[in-house]
Amino acid sequence: DGSTRDSDFSRIRDLVAKAFNALKNDHDRRKIISHLRSAVDGLRSLAKTYEQDLTYTCRITALIENIEEETGRFVDDLLDMDD
C-alpha cells in the first residue's frame, strides 16, 4: 500500500536525520557512521524489493546517496584526526 510505504519511508528518513544530527557530536561518531553504513545495505535491499515502484526506489536511492555523502564527510574528518 502506497500510504504505508510513505509513512515507513518518512520514519526511516526521520531516523536518518536524527543520526545525522548526532554526528555533530564527537561522542559515538564512529559507531553512528558504522550503523548508517549498515543501513545503506538494508536500504539497497528495500529498493530491490520495490524496484517496480520507480518513485519509491528513487526516494530510497536519494536517501542512500545522502547517507553516503554525509558519512563520507565525517570519515574524512576522522581520518584527518587519526593522522
Side-chain angles (χ1 to χ4, degrees):
D1 178 61
S3 63
T4 302
R5 281 186 211 161
D6 287 342
S7 63
D8 289 346
F9 185 79
S10 291
R11 284 193 294 273
I12 293 168
R13 189 187 58 227
D14 291 347
L15 183 60
V16 169
K18 287 179 183 178
F20 285 172
N21 194 41
L23 283 173
K24 295 175 185 172
N25 182 349
D26 288 341
H27 185 67
D28 291 332
R29 184 175 287 163
R30 290 177 193 264
K31 188 183 298 185
I32 294 167
I33 289 171
S34 175
H35 288 303
L36 283 168
R37 288 188 164 177
S38 294
V40 166
D41 293 336
L43 287 168
R44 285 192 176 114
S45 294
L46 190 63
K48 181 76 173 158
T49 299
Y50 292 106
E51 65 188 351
Q52 299 301 316
D53 185 336
L54 187 58
T55 301
Y56 197 59
T57 302
C58 288
R59 291 172 73 188
I60 294 168
T61 300
L63 184 58
I64 290 169
E65 290 171 355
N66 195 2
I67 291 169
E68 289 173 339
E69 180 180 323
E70 192 72 12
T71 58
R73 191 168 58 87
F74 281 102
V75 167
D76 290 344
D77 291 346
L78 288 172
L79 291 174
D80 289 343
M81 288 172 45
D82 288 343
D83 288 341

